[in-house]
Amino acid sequence: MSLDMGVVPSGAELSRATVVALLSRLLGDDRDLHEGVAAGEFAELVWEGERIGTQWFVHPGRTGVSELVVSIFDAFPLRPAAEYRAEVARVVEVLQELARVTGGRFLVEEGDVTAAPLGEVLDLVSPDAAATTPAGMVLSTTTESPEDFLRRYLAAGDERLALLRARAARAGEPPRLDLSRDSLVPLWAFAIDHLEPRAADAPLEKVILDGGDVFQRPKEAVLPMWYGRSAFLAPHVWSDASLALVDAISFYAVECVRHAVPGLTWQVGHEEPRGYMHEGQPVLAGRGPDLQPVTAMMPLLGRIYYLRRPDPANPRTPPAPEDLRDWFDAAVAERRPTGG
C-alpha cells in the first residue's frame, strides 16, 4: 500500500532551481528531473532503496513548480520497520528542507506537517512497531542472498540429471540426456506418463513472504529448493515426486537452450523498477527475455494437469511428446542472434 506526501506552494510557486537541486540528492542526474517538460505534462521519476520504493511527480507551473508529490511504499512490509524508516527519513528530510527554503507547505496524506519534527512525520508514515504475521499465515523469510542461491541451484544440476536417469530407468525408458533438441521428445513423453497431481484433499498451509506475496505450501512435503521463493514458484498441485521431476526436467530443458545459443548465461534475475516477476531468481539471460526454468514450463505442465483432471466445461489442448521440443524451438528462435 502506498502513501502520498509532497510539497505545495504557499503563495508563489516553488523555485524550479531549488526543487532540482534538492531532489538531485536522491535522484542524481536523472534526465527527467533536469530537463523541462511540455506544457500540461509533468516529470515522473523513480527512486528505490533497499526497502523503499518511490515515485516523484513534479508538476510545472507558469514560472516554477506548482506541486511536488511523492508516492512511497515498503517493498517488505513484514520486516522490522527500522530500516524502512531510515530510508523514509531521507525522503522526508529533502521535502522538509524544500518546504522551509521555498516557504511551501509539507503535506503527508493531505495533512500539513510543515512544522512537525522528523520523528513525528516518520510515525505517520511507518509506526515504529514490530511487524506481525497475519492470522492464519506462516511467514517465510530467508537470509540467503540471491547469488548464493544461484550457486546452490546450479550445484544441484548433476543431482537432477541423476534423478532423471534413475526414474526413467526404473520405468524401462533410459533417457538420452545429451542436451540435444531430439532428446526432448522422449523426455516429455516420459513426463506425460509420470507427472501426477497431489491428492485433492492433501493439507496445505498459507504462507506469506516478507514482501507480502502469498502462496499455498503442502504440509509435511519434500519440496524443491526453489519452492516458495516467490508466489510464482509454488505449484502445490503436483505431488512431491512430480515436483522433483519438474525441477529436473525444467533445469535440463533450459540447459538445452543454453547449449544451443551462444552468449546465454545463468544469472540472478533483476530489472528496474521493482516488481519484476523473476527478481532474485535464477534465470538464463543474455539474449531475449530472461528464462526462468520452472515458470517457463508452466503452460506445458498445465496440459498434463488437465489431462489428469479434465474440466468438462473448459476443454484444454491435450499434451503431446513434441510439446517440449516445440517450446525449445521457440525459446531458441527468440534468443538466437539474427542470421544464427
Side-chain angles (χ1 to χ4, degrees), residues 253-333:
V254 172
E255 278 286 274
C256 289
V257 176
R258 184 175 71 88
H259 183 75
V261 182
L264 293 178
T265 59
W266 285 103
Q267 301 177 27
V268 172
H270 178 68
E271 281 189 10
E272 299 288 355
R274 198 178 268 128
Y276 175 51
M277 70 176 293
H278 302 317
E279 185 68 32
Q281 309 302 335
V283 296
L284 196 64
R287 290 185 182 275
D290 291 351
L291 194 59
Q292 203 290 323
V294 179
T295 54
M297 294 291 104
M298 293 296 189
L300 304 189
L301 292 170
R303 293 185 180 184
I304 300 176
Y305 179 81
Y306 284 106
L307 176 69
R308 300 284 188 272
R309 293 185 178 164
D311 179 1
N314 187 15
R316 310 298 176 94
T317 302
E322 296 77 20
D323 287 349
L324 190 57
R325 184 192 63 194
D326 294 345
W327 170 89
F328 167 86
D329 288 343
V332 168

Side-chain angles (χ1 to χ4, degrees), residues 135-193:
M137 294 187 182
V138 176
L139 177 63
S140 178
T141 61
T142 180
T143 58
E144 184 178 34
S145 72
E147 292 75 18
D148 285 345
F149 180 80
L150 174 61
R151 285 188 283 271
R152 186 160 65 93
Y153 177 78
L154 296 179
D158 288 344
E159 182 180 338
R160 295 186 182 95
L161 299 185
L163 179 143
L164 275 182
R165 292 189 179 95
R167 293 279 299 272
R170 287 201 300 270
E173 304 172 25
R176 171 189 169 190
L177 301 180
D178 58 2
L179 299 178
S180 68
R181 174 179 182 270
D182 290 342
S183 69
L184 296 172
V185 175
L187 180 60
W188 199 243
F190 171 77
I192 293 172
D193 289 342

Side-chain angles (χ1 to χ4, degrees), residues 56-87:
W56 302 65
F57 303 93
V58 183
H59 296 262
R62 299 178 66 180
T63 59
V65 173
S66 65
E67 184 180 29
L68 169 64
V69 178
V70 187
S71 290
I72 69 171
F73 69 93
D74 186 354
F76 302 100
L78 294 180
R79 293 181 182 176
E83 62 181 18
Y84 177 61
R85 285 167 63 93
E87 292 186 340

Side-chain angles (χ1 to χ4, degrees), residues 17 22 40 61 83 89 113 201 274:
L22 290 176
E83 62 181 18
V113 292
D201 59 352
R274 198 178 268 128

